Amino acid sequence: MRPTPLRFLAGSEAMARIRRDGLHEDLFDVVAGASGGAKWLALTRLDQALFGSWFRDRVRPLHMVGSSIGTWRFACLAQPDPVAACQRFEACYLDYAVDGPVSASELTAHCRDFLDVIFGADGIGHVLAHPFMRQSILAVRGRGPIRPGTGKVGLGLGLGAAGLANLVSRRTLPAFFERTVLHDGRDAPPFNLNAEFPTQAVPLTPANLVPALLASSAVPFVFDGVVDMAGARPGLYLDGGIMDYHLDMGFTPPGLVLYPHFSHRIVPGWFDKTLPWRRARAANLSRMLVLCPSVEFTKALPFGKIPDRGDFRRMDTATRQKYWRTAVAETDRLADCWREALEKDRVPDLLEPLVP
C-alpha cells in the first residue's frame, strides 16, 4: 500500500474497538494536546478538519487535556466558530516577526496579544461555558529555589538539579515541581490526580484562564512564569510540558483518547527529550489513537522537518516566514487524508500499532 501523509497509530484496545465498531466520534472521551511550540503548525489544518465538522454535533462531554501550545489550540477549538479561531491564530503566528534579541517579558506580552486575537471580546466565556468541551490545562508550580524572587540563578539551579535527578527517575520531579491542572469546574479532570505525580486541581474561572494558558506555555528563560494564579497555591507557575511534555498519562474515562500529534514518539517529560530510553508506558497507550504526519511527508517539507521554535535562531525572518507558510499549506494534505479515510471508511485498514 502506498504510504499516506497521515498515519493512524492505535494502541491495542483502540485498534480492537475501531476494527470492531468502525471509527466514529462517540468512541472518544479525551483529546490530548502536546507541548511543542511552533510544531503545532503541523496540526492546525487537521484541527480544523476534526472540529469544524466531525465533532460539531457532539453532546457528551469531551475532555481536552493539554500542556503548553496544546492548550492554545484547544482555546481556539472551544470558540463558537473553531475554524475561524484557528485561522486567526494561524495567521498572526505566521506573520509574527521580531528583530534582534527579545526579552522574556517582551515575548510574554506578545503572547498576551496572541490570546487577544484568539479570544476577542467573549472568548474566555466561550471556553468556560462550552456545550461539550471540558478543558484541562497542565502547568507546574516550582518548589525549592524555583520560586518567585530567586531570579535566573535560582531558576537555573533548580532546573539543573531537576534535570540531573530526572536522569535517575521521573519520580524525582515532585521534589522540584508540583503538577497543577486547571480544569473545567463542571467535571473532574479525566485522570487520577494521585497517580505518578500528586496533582493540585484548580477550577478554571474568568480570573485564571488566561494566566493558566500563559503559565502552561512559560518555557523557563524564554517566557515569564506566572506568579500566584487565582485559586491556586502561591508560587511560580511554569510550562506544563516540564512534567507532561507529550502526556504520558493514565486517562480514566472508558472511551478512547484521540491524539493529533506532530510526531510518532510520545516523550514523557521536557527533560526526556534527549533520553531515547525514556519512553511512554504501554498501558497509557492502549486506548489512544494518534494521528501524525508520516516520515515521508515530513522529509518532503522544506528543510526536511516541521516548523519549530529553533527556526527563529537559525533563519532570518523572511526565510522563516516563507518556510512556515509553505509547510502549513502542505499540511492541507493531512486534513485531506483524514477526510478521505473517514468518508471511505478506510481507517480500520490504515491502523498501525502504537508502540512506546
Side-chain angles (χ1 to χ4, degrees):
M1 183 182 294
R2 183 180 177 183
T4 63
L6 183 68
R7 299 180 72 186
F8 296 76
L9 307 179
S12 57
E13 184 176 344
M15 184 174 290
R17 291 180 65 175
I18 293 169
R19 285 181 170 166
R20 182 189 68 212
D21 303 330
L23 184 70
H24 54 90
E25 62 87 12
D26 206 43
L27 283 175
F28 298 93
D29 284 336
V30 176
V31 178
S35 297
K39 294 174 183 176
W40 81 277
L41 290 171
L43 302 173
T44 175
R45 303 294 172 84
L46 183 59
D47 282 345
Q48 293 171 47
L50 285 165
F51 287 87
S53 58
W54 201 50
F55 282 114
R56 183 175 54 198
D57 298 323
R58 177 87 178 197
V59 175
R60 261 185 334 110
L62 182 66
H63 292 274
M64 313 291 288
V65 183
S67 60
S68 194
I69 197 65
T71 69
W72 290 51
R73 291 168 48 215
F74 295 167
C76 293
L77 296 174
Q79 300 307 302
D81 188 339
V83 172
C86 288
Q87 290 173 344
R88 290 196 303 272
F89 186 32
E90 176 190 310
C92 69
Y93 205 90
L94 292 175
D95 287 341
Y96 181 65
V98 290
D99 295 314
V102 182
S103 70
S105 295
E106 289 173 317
L107 285 175
T108 303
H110 298 165
C111 285
R112 288 184 179 275
D113 293 339
F114 284 148
L115 289 175
D116 287 342
V117 170
I118 292 172
F119 286 144
D122 304 314
I124 291 174
H126 292 313
V127 172
L128 297 176
H130 195 276
F132 64 84
M133 289 188 195
R134 304 290 188 265
Q135 303 290 333
S136 288
I137 299 172
L138 291 159
V140 298
R141 184 178 72 93
R143 286 178 162 167
I146 307 174
R147 62 180 188 273
T150 59
K152 292 183 178 180
V153 173
L155 180 59
L157 288 172
L159 289 170
L164 289 173
N166 182 75
L167 286 171
V168 178
S169 173
R170 271 174 54 80
R171 295 183 182 275
T172 63
L173 290 178
F176 305 93
F177 308 100
E178 180 182 38
R179 178 201 261 166
T180 299
V181 57
L182 295 104
H183 65 96
D184 191 306
R186 293 172 291 180
D187 288 283
F191 55 88
N192 187 334
L193 296 178
N194 295 310
E196 187 180 28
F197 301 132
T199 302
Q200 174 190 191
V202 181
L204 280 168
T205 68
N208 65 23
L209 176 57
V210 168
L213 292 168
L214 292 171
S216 187
S217 307
V219 178
F221 302 113
V222 179
F223 301 98
D224 290 336
V226 173
V227 177
D228 299 347
M229 283 191 293
R233 296 187 182 102
L236 179 66
Y237 288 84
L238 296 168
D239 191 340
I242 290 174
M243 286 180 125
D244 297 296
Y245 194 57
H246 290 170
L247 309 186
D248 174 23
M249 305 170 70
F251 293 107
T252 52
L256 302 183
V257 179
L258 181 65
Y259 194 171
H261 194 21
F262 45 77
S263 171
H264 66 278
R265 185 184 174 209
I266 296 176
V267 180
W270 188 51
F271 294 108
D272 302 320
K273 291 188 291 182
T274 58
L275 307 180
W277 64 86
R278 189 65 56 80
R279 299 180 179 182
R281 290 162 292 178
N284 290 344
L285 306 182
S286 177
R287 289 186 288 122
M288 189 172 285
L289 175 64
V290 172
L291 308 177
C292 67
S294 68
V295 172
E296 294 80 7
F297 172 85
T298 302
K299 285 183 176 179
L301 294 176
F303 305 102
K305 66 177 192 66
I306 62 176
D308 62 71
R309 186 161 50 86
D311 295 335
F312 285 100
R313 182 180 65 255
R314 291 186 289 262
M315 304 175 190
D316 61 69
T317 297
T319 301
R320 176 185 57 79
Q321 289 182 330
K322 180 180 179 181
Y323 155 48
W324 281 15
R325 289 192 174 94
T326 301
V328 169
E330 284 295 308
T331 64
D332 278 333
R333 295 171 55 209
L334 304 180
D336 290 343
C337 181
W338 161 259
R339 294 188 189 96
E340 180 183 13
L342 200 64
E343 290 168 2
K344 296 183 178 180
D345 196 24
R346 295 185 60 215
V347 174
D349 297 327
L350 293 172
L351 294 178
E352 304 174 58
L354 174 61
V355 296

